Amino acid sequence: MHAQHYIGLSRNQQEYRRLFFGVNEIAVKVPSVFKLLIKEVLNPFYIFQLFSVILWSADEYYYYAAAIVFMSVVSIATSLYTIKKQYVMLHDMVAAHSIVRVSVIRANNEIEEAMSTDLVPGDVMVIPSNGTIMPCDAVLVSGTCIVNESMLTGESVPVTKTNLPNPRQGGRGSDSDTVYCTEEHKRHTLFCGTNVIQTRFYSGELVKAVVVRTGFSTAKGQLVRSILYPKPTDFKLYRDAYLFLLCLVAVAGIGFIYSIALSIINKVPAKTIIIESLDIITITVPPALPAAMTAGIVYAQRRLKHIGIFCISPQRINICGQLNLVCFDKTGTLTEDGLDLWGIQRVENKSFLLSEENAYRESLVKSQFVACMATCHSLTKIEGQLSGDPLDLKMFEATGWILEEATEEETSLHNRIMPTVVRPPKQLLPEPTVSSQQDMELYELSQSGYEIGIVRQFPFSSALQRMSVVTRTLGEKRMEAFLKGAPEVVASLCKKDTVPEDFAEVLEDYTKQGFRVIALAHRRLESKLTWHKVQNVSRDHIEANMEFLGLIIMQNKLKPETPGVLEDLRRANIRTVMVTGDNMLTAISVARDCGMIPPEDRVIIADALPPKDGQAAKINWRYADNPTKSSGKATRLEEVEISLEDVSQGEEARQSERYHFAMSGKAFAVITEHFQDLLQKLVLHGTVFARMAPDQKTQLVEVLQSVDYFVGMCGDGANDCGALKRAHGGISLSELEASVASPFTSRTPNISCVPNLIREGRAALITSFCVFKFMALYSIIQYISVTLLYSILSNLGDFQFLFIDIAIILLIVFTMSLNPAWKELVPRRPPSGLISGPLLFSVLTQILVCLGFQTMAFLWVRKQSWWEPWTPLSDTRGDFNQTFCLSSQCACNLSSSSNISLELNETELDDHYIKNYENTTLFYVSSFQYLIVAIVFSKGKPFRQPSYKNWPFVLSACSLYAFLFFILFYPISAIDDFLEIVCVPFQWRLTILLIVFVNAVVCILVETLVLDVVLWKLVFSRDKQGSYASGPAAPTAQGSIDLWGCGCVSWPCCRQKRVPKARYMHLAQELSVDPDWPPKPKTTTEAKPPPPSAPPAGQPPPPTRPENGSYRIIAAS
């Protein structure tokens, strides 16, 4: 990088590369409203609605057509607004750094101003001293930058970026052969979209960076691409909805052919045949279905907003009702953002002293331990405030020391060895004493105080797991090196005689308790090392032969809500997984503390190693610790049985020792590449995934989805963006960049939003089922009515249709969706699709009941002794009055001559033969049937609040019942004329009431008694032997079988032993009988090498354990 790219590019080179790499721009084009409108309107539902509206207009059915057009316009406008808003948000997030002016150094050492869109890889740009937002990925080759990388890491803490080491200035031990790699040299790389707060330069030298990636190839570009083009999330409900509609279309096809045949036989005019035949299709497939389905989601979105959860992808709310596994980030999500200093444990004479609470003491002020705490960090001052890594900040604040940096003017006048100085507060320093031999100069120095200058800093490297500094104490001639880092790494760099013998035991004790432990070391450097030589010495030369100083113990506290929420999820049989960038043992400890891993469960760590020196990739298995409640050894694991977290069956989990897998990001990468067959088995019980990179988090979500888990993800940083977008339900605890990618954003900065989201998702999903079932029944009931009336060349009147479609259906649909979510999570999930045995049984039985009662009413009315083809004179005939009037009052009173002549005129104009006894009877019966099925399908517990708490629904249903009873028993001529219903005898009105009452009783009995109780006991008790659930599942009569009978088949199809549908259940079934699972401690699983050549004649093949897929298990070491 220094040798080939330091001088910059000539203009010709730059133009050539621009042709190759393209413009440096992350272009997020906001589509025009017209384009979005066309895309939205081309939805099959809206095309069908357009067809329906045209047909109704041709049939002069304008009112309902206008209502559907109004609902469609509102629905399309809302959808367009949401989509447009998302595009604008994403565009604004990217536009901040898309086009800025930059200074570029050309090959002739000239500096020219250019637009950031003209940058190409190889350009050398000057980072301005007042900072900028990076328009590309670039590597620092000179100077230092302080950068806010919250866009990438989720941490708003500024980090210091140093220049890439120049091998030409180093010694032999320098990184002369190292090729620049973004991952390895993160500390020297400025990423696109990150905010450079300030820069530092020395001796007039500019802060320069070489452009390495532009456009969508940058870190920001890859993030934006993952947001713009996520992998589609499939959901069974929407697939089944289309399948169900196809079934309705098939039913409509039958009615279509029937109406055409009937009309031809009766010689109906061609125009009427076409309109009425097509009309039966619009009756069977309800055009209002999209609006009805959307209503429940809109209400759920409003309830989520009320509890502080904002949603930019409303369709995901239903999917959240299916979540059975949730991945959590650790820092800032399960635990507090910052670290607290719990204590220190110093080492003297090769042994640990007792732990101490803090280092702020006069007796320690000049100790090497405190000097290391005060100097070995990457802190800097921004506008007078200390900024940097939270751990460094807490460690430095614990000393009480003061940090002073050289000003910008000082650094520009001096060379790069102008040090940062730290000094203790004066109150901690002892009074200086002057001896007779002390010369004046040293006396003045001692009077000026005790201070340490940081001469050189080797920044923290995640690959090396350490950082170090070279310092010089005021008045001292020799320099000193201080080192801090992972305890195992620091101990390996120290002299053996300075590391306590019980080091491993003390360290393990702290890590098991969930503390984050940092080790410190010190070394006095050779006197020949001058300030100038130190600037070019290699890191390896400094970080060797150190003296071990002790341990700093940091505590990352759990958020107070975390344990309770995880317990609620556990009781609801929802798996929880930790995905973190932190240390493995710390993550395991936090998982135990918060209840994610119960105390009695074992943790098996999978250490995967990539292929090396001709050896195949392998996994070493070891136990993290011994469970607190388990007295047995590892051999007990031979009889471990896997218990699944799914909840669709009702078997109590057998008592067995449970286990959890833990692995690091490196191990995950090796297993993903070399152990594909093993990966799905591991994630079945993988609970802790540590040191995971952002893209690995996304990969983990995809692997979990590949075994049919419904995965939720909860994180708080932009590093979680990919996983948040990919998961079925991603919820961000941050309102920064993560909220752009995440479907849900919580204002509450803790995980209590997760169960709330799942509860609302379940309620919305059940509401969708209720609405879909109700709309299906509404279509079929109306289809039955129209088909029966077609047989006598009649139909429902326009205002009858209007009353049913608007006053009953729309009012009920928009109020039955208002049931709030149940107050707690239950250990079951709703079904994921409409095509399930119980749900189909529910719909089909209700259809048969409604068909039976409508047909009975239709035939019964024609069997009445008073029945005859209706005419306007039927209401006023004397024999009718004498025979059917009760208490000297007739059921109807339409005897005036003006009314008779009016009715005669209307009858002459009535081409559709609307007014008749059959029409009136079916209108009353079907109107009551709509309300009956609405109440029957509007279920409450265990996923929604009971319907009686939904007062708009109760009020609507009661009002409609009251109105129907009123017009049934107290007819008013104006209403009868408007609805085109005719006068029927009072006794027949009582008969209609009886039919409706018996219909209601049968519907309720079928839905509650037969479906909830009888079939529950018969079908589910038989299926218990084939069940794979992990939690207790006591049946309740209150909850419908169709709510949690996912995958269950109806009675005739039930079997004693069923093959599980979910892939993870199938895997668990296989592993429960595998004697080699889980892996034993101290065994190794090796990737299967290429097929070996046959052994020589007479020699047996080498002994190995049984092979499985792409790996084999080697006997215990």
Side-chain angles (χ1 to χ4, degrees):
M1 193 62 73
H2 281 278
Q4 298 179 18
H5 301 287
Y6 190 77
I7 59 172
L9 302 175
S10 66
R11 284 191 178 85
N12 290 336
Q13 287 176 314
Q14 201 233 19
E15 287 172 7
Y16 174 76
R17 291 195 182 189
R18 196 183 310 151
L19 290 173
F20 186 78
F21 291 104
V23 177
N24 173 34
E25 186 178 16
I26 303 173
V28 179
K29 295 180 180 178
V30 179
S32 66
V33 174
F34 179 74
K35 283 184 179 179
L36 289 173
L37 180 64
I38 295 299
K39 188 176 178 182
E40 187 71 17
V41 168
L42 289 179
N43 183 305
F45 267 123
Y46 291 124
I47 293 173
F48 179 70
Q49 283 184 338
L50 180 64
F51 160 76
S52 302
V53 166
I54 293 170
L55 181 67
W56 293 332
S57 300
D59 198 23
E60 299 178 356
Y61 185 37
Y62 300 117
Y63 300 99
Y64 189 57
I68 290 295
V69 167
F70 174 75
M71 286 191 298
S72 299
V73 168
V74 170
S75 177
I76 291 171
T78 306
S79 180
L80 288 183
Y81 173 76
T82 306
I83 295 169
K84 180 91 173 176
K85 186 179 177 183
Q86 287 183 46
Y87 272 109
V88 170
M89 282 174 65
L90 190 57
H91 177 268
D92 290 348
M93 183 185 90
V94 175
H97 68 268
S98 286
I99 303 175
V100 292
R101 294 198 70 82
V102 292
S103 300
V104 181
I105 299 177
R106 293 287 170 227
N108 56 5
N109 215 25
E110 287 182 4
I111 297 178
E112 69 174 39
E113 293 289 313
M115 300 304 294
S116 60
T117 50
D118 296 332
L119 291 174
V120 295
D123 269 334
V124 177
M125 62 181 291
V126 178
I127 311 297
S129 58
N130 59 347
T132 183
I133 293 177
M134 287 300 295
C136 58
D137 286 358
V139 58
L140 268 177
V141 289
S142 71
T144 306
C145 291
I146 297 165
V147 186
N148 184 335
E149 288 191 325
S150 62
M151 190 278 298
L152 285 180
T153 63
E155 305 290 340
S156 57
V157 178
V159 294
T160 302
K161 299 281 186 174
T162 57
N163 62 296
L164 193 70
N166 189 349
R168 291 177 296 177
Q169 296 177 359
R172 292 181 181 178
S174 65
D175 305 330
S176 54
D177 296 325
T178 303
V179 176
Y180 168 76
C181 171
T182 307
E183 283 300 314
E184 290 181 20
H185 299 99
K186 273 186 178 179
R187 282 283 175 179
H188 315 297
T189 305
L190 304 172
F191 292 101
C192 180
T194 58
N195 185 11
V196 178
I197 300 169
Q198 68 181 40
T199 63
R200 287 194 188 169
F201 54 95
Y202 304 93
S203 303
E205 189 176 346
L206 297 171
V207 180
K208 302 176 190 174
V210 178
V211 177
V212 289
R213 290 185 304 206
T214 58
F216 276 102
S217 300
T218 62
K220 184 90 170 189
Q222 290 169 1
L223 172 64
V224 173
R225 186 189 283 118
S226 72
I227 296 170
L228 281 173
Y229 309 107
K231 290 186 180 179
T233 302
D234 193 18
F235 190 40
K236 197 166 181 287
L237 171 67
Y238 303 124
R239 295 201 311 270
D240 287 356
Y242 283 107
L243 194 60
F244 205 86
L245 285 175
L246 285 176
C247 295
L248 291 178
V249 169
V251 172
I254 296 169
F256 179 76
I257 295 167
Y258 165 77
S259 65
I260 289 176
L262 201 64
S263 300
I264 291 172
I265 291 168
N266 290 280
K267 298 180 181 179
V268 175
K271 181 186 175 184
T272 308
I273 292 175
I274 293 169
I275 290 176
E276 291 191 347
S277 301
L278 292 175
D279 193 37
I280 207 160
I281 295 175
T282 66
I283 288 170
T284 316
V285 183
L289 183 62
M293 294 288 283
T294 304
I297 296 172
V298 170
Y299 294 147
Q301 191 175 2
R302 192 178 65 183
R303 289 194 298 268
L304 284 172
K305 188 175 181 181
H306 183 68
I307 57 175
I309 300 173
F310 296 89
C311 174
I312 62 170
S313 180
Q315 296 302 323
R316 296 283 186 113
I317 298 175
N318 274 343
I319 305 179
C320 288
Q322 277 294 302
L323 297 183
N324 56 354
L325 184 148
V326 184
C327 297
F328 292 99
D329 182 33
K330 183 180 78 70
T331 307
T333 304
L334 296 174
T335 62
E336 300 287 357
D337 274 316
L339 290 161
D340 294 314
L341 183 73
W342 182 84
I344 60 173
Q345 191 149 12
R346 295 183 297 123
V347 169
E348 283 186 8
N349 301 323
K350 202 184 173 181
S351 62
F352 281 111
L353 302 177
L354 293 174
S355 61
E356 301 161 271
E357 279 192 25
N358 60 64
Y360 188 76
R361 294 208 307 275
E362 186 177 322
S363 58
L364 297 178
V365 71
K366 291 193 176 183
S367 68
Q368 302 291 357
F369 190 94
V370 170
C372 186
M373 290 176 68
T375 57
C376 198
H377 52 71
S378 56
L379 298 178
T380 186
K381 277 195 172 180
I382 298 175
E383 297 178 358
Q385 294 292 318
L386 274 177
S387 296
D389 184 88
L391 188 147
D392 287 350
L393 204 56
K394 287 286 182 183
M395 181 181 73
F396 184 76
E397 286 173 351
T399 64
W401 284 39
I402 300 158
L403 181 140
E404 290 182 359
E405 287 182 321
T407 63
E408 190 174 301
E409 292 77 15
E410 289 172 333
T411 54
S412 63
L413 294 172
H414 298 80
N415 57 20
R416 67 176 64 240
I417 60 176
M418 186 71 185
T420 296
V421 173
V422 293
R423 63 166 65 91
K426 290 182 179 179
Q427 58 266 31
L428 284 183
L429 286 173
E431 288 295 323
T433 55
V434 184
S435 63
S436 56
Q437 292 83 14
Q438 191 173 31
D439 60 15
M440 194 66 185
E441 183 182 352
L442 286 179
Y443 175 75
E444 288 174 358
L445 286 173
S446 62
Q447 285 286 44
S448 66
Y450 173 71
E451 61 182 41
I452 302 173
I454 302 170
V455 179
R456 188 174 181 195
Q457 185 185 94
F458 296 97
F460 177 80
S461 163
S462 56
L464 300 175
Q465 294 185 301
R466 64 181 187 267
M467 79 163 290
S468 58
V469 291
V470 177
T471 68
R472 184 170 182 178
T473 307
L474 187 64
E476 294 284 340
K477 292 183 179 180
R478 291 175 67 176
M479 297 190 194
E480 294 175 296
F482 292 103
L483 173 74
K484 78 165 187 201
E488 302 91 338
V489 175
V490 172
S492 68
L493 297 172
C494 291
K495 298 174 186 175
K496 292 286 175 62
D497 58 352
T498 64
V499 180
E501 292 179 0
D502 59 346
F503 166 77
E505 290 80 4
V506 171
L507 174 62
E508 186 178 4
D509 185 50
Y510 281 126
T511 53
K512 278 183 182 179
Q513 295 177 58
F515 293 115
R516 185 167 179 183
V517 183
I518 306 295
L520 306 182
H522 158 262
R523 172 190 166 199
R524 281 177 69 83
L525 298 178
E526 302 87 350
S527 56
K528 64 179 182 180
L529 276 176
T530 62
W531 283 40
H532 290 280
K533 285 182 180 178
V534 163
Q535 303 309 313
N536 299 319
V537 75
S538 72
R539 183 170 192 160
D540 293 337
H541 180 78
I542 297 292
E543 296 172 348
N545 297 317
M546 310 290 283
E547 294 178 6
F548 194 79
L549 291 177
L551 304 173
I552 296 176
I553 300 98
M554 312 291 287
Q555 187 177 25
N556 191 196
K557 293 179 180 176
L558 283 174
K559 288 184 178 178
E561 301 84 3
T562 297
V565 170
L566 293 180
E567 176 61 21
D568 289 345
L569 295 176
R570 188 192 65 77
R571 281 201 301 264
N573 284 334
I574 296 171
R575 260 189 73 186
T576 50
V577 171
M578 184 188 295
V579 191
T580 177
D582 206 347
N583 172 274
M584 169 78 75
L585 290 176
T586 304
I588 292 172
S589 174
V590 171
R592 284 202 183 279
D593 289 345
C594 67
M596 195 175 282
I597 300 177
E600 67 275 9
D601 291 6
R602 285 195 179 277
V603 177
I604 305 171
I605 296 178
D607 285 330
L609 302 173
K612 190 177 181 182
D613 300 331
Q615 294 183 348
K618 60 183 179 180
I619 306 172
N620 295 320
W621 307 97
R622 59 187 176 90
Y623 284 175
D625 51 18
N626 290 318
T628 56
K629 296 183 181 179
S630 175
S631 58
K633 299 297 179 186
T635 51
R636 292 181 55 192
L637 284 176
E638 292 178 10
E639 297 180 8
V640 167
E641 293 176 15
I642 292 193
S643 57
L644 279 185
E645 317 301 313
D646 192 77
V647 295
S648 60
Q649 321 300 332
E651 180 190 39
E652 290 193 8
R654 286 174 283 187
Q655 293 300 315
S656 63
E657 183 179 10
R658 299 193 182 188
Y659 58 90
H660 304 257
F661 288 112
M663 66 188 77
S664 65
K666 288 181 180 177
F668 181 77
V670 172
I671 292 168
T672 303
E673 184 176 355
H674 299 283
F675 298 90
Q676 277 290 335
D677 293 353
L678 196 60
L679 183 60
Q680 292 187 342
K681 297 179 181 178
L682 286 174
V683 298
L684 200 64
H685 273 261
T687 302
V688 175
F689 296 85
R691 300 291 189 204
M692 296 285 278
D695 59 323
Q696 289 179 323
K697 293 183 179 184
T698 309
Q699 288 173 23
L700 175 64
V701 169
E702 289 174 355
V703 172
L704 289 166
Q705 289 173 336
S706 72
V707 290
D708 296 337
Y709 275 115
F710 283 88
V711 183
M713 173 73 196
C714 183
D716 67 332
N719 57 332
D720 300 315
C721 275
L724 289 167
K725 188 78 173 179
R726 185 69 190 101
H728 290 105
I731 182 162
S732 166
L733 302 186
S734 161
E735 294 185 46
L736 300 174
E737 286 84 356
S739 63
V740 178
S742 177
F744 302 95
T745 303
S746 172
R747 282 269 178 89
T748 310
N750 59 64
I751 64 169
S752 61
C753 58
V754 174
N756 290 335
L757 177 62
I758 296 174
R759 285 190 306 104
E760 289 295 346
R762 288 180 174 185
L765 186 56
I766 291 305
T767 298
S768 295
F769 286 139
C770 292
V771 169
F772 204 98
K773 287 163 64 178
F774 174 68
M775 292 300 285
L777 259 294
Y778 145 65
S779 301
I780 297 298
I781 290 170
Q782 199 168 77
Y783 171 81
I784 292 167
S785 302
V786 171
T787 306
L788 289 171
L789 291 174
Y790 274 10
S791 67
I792 59 169
L793 300 183
S794 181
N795 199 351
L796 291 172
D798 284 355
F799 289 102
Q800 288 177 340
F801 274 124
L802 195 67
F803 174 76
I804 291 168
D805 292 342
I806 292 181
I808 297 181
I809 302 306
L810 293 186
L811 189 61
I812 290 297
V813 157
F814 289 129
T815 55
M816 77 185 299
S817 304
L818 286 169
N819 287 39
W822 187 244
K823 55 193 173 187
E824 60 187 29
L825 281 175
V826 295
R828 311 189 186 285
R829 290 183 299 144
S832 59
L834 289 162
I835 311 301
S836 64
L839 197 143
L840 288 177
F841 180 86
S842 171
V843 171
L844 291 174
T845 50
Q846 296 297 337
I847 288 173
L848 290 174
V849 170
C850 293
L851 172 65
F853 280 96
Q854 276 204 57
T855 307
M856 181 180 72
F858 179 78
L859 296 176
W860 197 355
V861 71
R862 295 173 69 89
K863 296 292 184 184
Q864 297 301 306
S865 58
W866 47 264
W867 179 88
E868 62 180 22
W870 184 90
T871 66
L873 296 174
S874 299
D875 290 347
T876 57
R877 282 171 48 192
D879 57 341
F880 181 91
N881 290 335
Q882 291 170 8
T883 309
F884 298 108
C885 287
L886 300 175
S887 304
S888 302
Q889 291 184 356
C890 289
C892 294
N893 188 12
L894 299 171
S895 56
S896 70
S897 59
S898 61
N899 282 344
I900 295 172
S901 61
L902 180 64
E903 292 290 347
L904 285 168
N905 292 334
E906 287 187 353
T907 306
E908 289 170 4
L909 299 173
D910 186 7
D911 296 330
H912 299 291
Y913 183 43
I914 302 300
K915 289 191 172 185
N916 53 68
Y917 298 121
E918 294 89 338
N919 171 290
T920 300
T921 301
L922 289 183
F923 171 75
Y924 280 128
V925 172
S926 64
S927 295
F928 280 109
Q929 282 182 340
Y930 299 128
L931 296 176
I932 291 165
V933 294
I935 292 169
V936 166
F937 285 157
S938 189
K939 299 290 181 62
K941 192 177 175 181
F943 301 118
R944 303 197 307 168
Q945 295 281 1
S947 292
Y948 63 79
K949 290 190 176 181
N950 179 0
W951 66 264
F953 174 71
V954 173
L955 184 62
S956 302
C958 291
S959 301
L960 287 168
Y961 269 122
F963 177 76
L964 288 171
F965 281 128
F966 177 78
I967 64 173
L968 177 63
F969 289 107
Y970 192 81
I972 296 174
S973 58
I975 296 175
D976 286 357
D977 292 342
F978 178 78
L979 293 175
E980 297 179 87
I981 53 181
V982 300
C983 174
V984 292
F986 187 79
Q987 287 181 339
W988 182 243
R989 296 171 191 269
L990 292 175
T991 307
I992 291 174
L993 179 62
L994 179 64
I995 292 170
V996 168
F997 177 76
V998 176
N999 188 348
V1001 170
V1002 172
C1003 284
I1004 293 168
L1005 286 176
V1006 166
E1007 187 72 15
T1008 55
L1009 184 64
V1010 178
L1011 204 61
D1012 292 358
V1013 180
V1014 178
L1015 276 189
W1016 174 269
K1017 290 181 179 176
L1018 288 175
V1019 176
F1020 276 75
S1021 61
R1022 294 184 183 197
D1023 282 343
K1024 273 188 180 181
Q1025 295 178 14
S1027 167
Y1028 310 101
S1030 65
T1036 61
Q1038 294 169 316
S1040 172
I1041 191 174
D1042 65 334
L1043 301 185
W1044 50 65
C1046 180
C1048 163
V1049 290
S1050 56
W1051 190 0
C1053 305
C1054 90
R1055 294 176 289 177
Q1056 290 271 331
K1057 203 75 166 162
R1058 293 190 299 111
V1059 176
K1061 286 186 177 181
R1063 171 76 179 145
Y1064 67 89
M1065 297 174 70
H1066 185 69
L1067 278 172
Q1069 196 177 24
E1070 290 178 357
L1071 295 177
S1072 63
V1073 294
D1074 186 349
D1076 291 321
W1077 195 264
K1080 311 299 183 294
K1082 299 182 180 178
T1083 58
T1084 299
T1085 301
E1086 200 172 81
K1088 191 186 292 183
S1093 55
Q1099 288 189 12
T1104 59
R1105 300 284 292 280
E1107 294 188 357
N1108 190 342
S1110 61
Y1111 60 90
R1112 60 178 181 175
I1113 300 172
I1114 301 172
S1117 57

